Amino acid sequence: MKRITDSLFEYIEKGTTIIHDGENSHSELIQKINANEIIHTTAETKGLSDKKNPMNQINTVHCFLKKFMAHHGGFKRDDLQDLLNVFYLINKCKGDVQKFVPIVLKKIVSCKKVLRYREQWNKKPSK
């Protein structure tokens, strides 16, 4: 429970509505951010077609995230948040380049990380 709360707390707006499957690990997070909740238990949704399943949209995002992570398996774990941010942007913009490009450009321009050319390219290869 604590792991889910610690990892998601700063990313979910207080007072939001969380739709979930009744998993106990969500309860601490829901209390901490004073969220509303809508629960659709697996017993309730089992056997429903995707069209009728209220959890389908969430299941679809999870499926895409798993595929996205599988295709980027060489990504460094230390940079996992950056990878998840890219997935979020892709999912949010859903192929709308005119929505995607300004967001990415704003992120790039506001980046405070300085990469020195010589530091990057003069490194000796690892043996």
Side-chain angles (χ1 to χ4, degrees):
M1 285 190 219
K2 183 169 174 30
R3 188 181 72 174
I4 288 182
T5 301
D6 290 346
S7 62
L8 297 176
F9 176 72
E10 66 182 272
Y11 298 101
I12 301 175
E13 191 175 329
K14 291 184 179 185
T16 194
T17 298
I18 296 179
I19 301 169
H20 64 98
D21 60 1
E23 173 67 40
N24 289 335
S25 59
H26 299 116
S27 59
E28 184 180 329
L29 173 66
I30 290 166
Q31 287 177 350
K32 191 169 183 176
I33 63 172
N34 194 26
N36 300 310
E37 65 179 325
I38 298 173
I39 301 171
H40 298 288
T41 63
T42 50
E44 170 191 337
T45 59
K46 186 176 181 176
L48 290 178
S49 68
D50 288 346
K51 215 172 200 177
K52 292 183 179 182
N53 188 340
M55 295 295 287
N56 186 51
Q57 188 177 5
I58 295 164
N59 295 340
T60 301
V61 171
H62 283 174
C63 180
F64 288 148
L65 178 59
K66 283 174 73 175
K67 288 179 181 179
F68 184 79
M69 297 294 284
H71 282 84
H72 297 88
F75 211 83
K76 294 179 185 172
R77 286 181 177 251
D78 293 345
D79 298 329
L80 180 60
Q81 186 61 58
D82 294 332
L83 183 65
L84 293 174
N85 289 343
V86 169
F87 175 80
Y88 169 77
L89 280 175
I90 291 169
N91 191 54
K92 179 180 179 179
C93 297
K94 302 224 190 287
D96 184 350
V97 175
Q98 300 206 339
K99 191 175 180 183
F100 183 79
V101 170
I103 294 170
V104 172
L105 286 176
K106 184 178 178 184
K107 294 256 184 219
I108 290 169
V109 170
S110 65
C111 181
K112 306 241 187 289
K113 190 172 184 179
V114 176
L115 178 62
R116 304 279 182 214
Y117 177 83
R118 288 190 177 128
E119 289 175 16
Q120 179 64 28
W121 300 109
N122 288 338
K123 290 180 182 175
K124 295 182 181 179
S126 311
K127 292 184 180 181

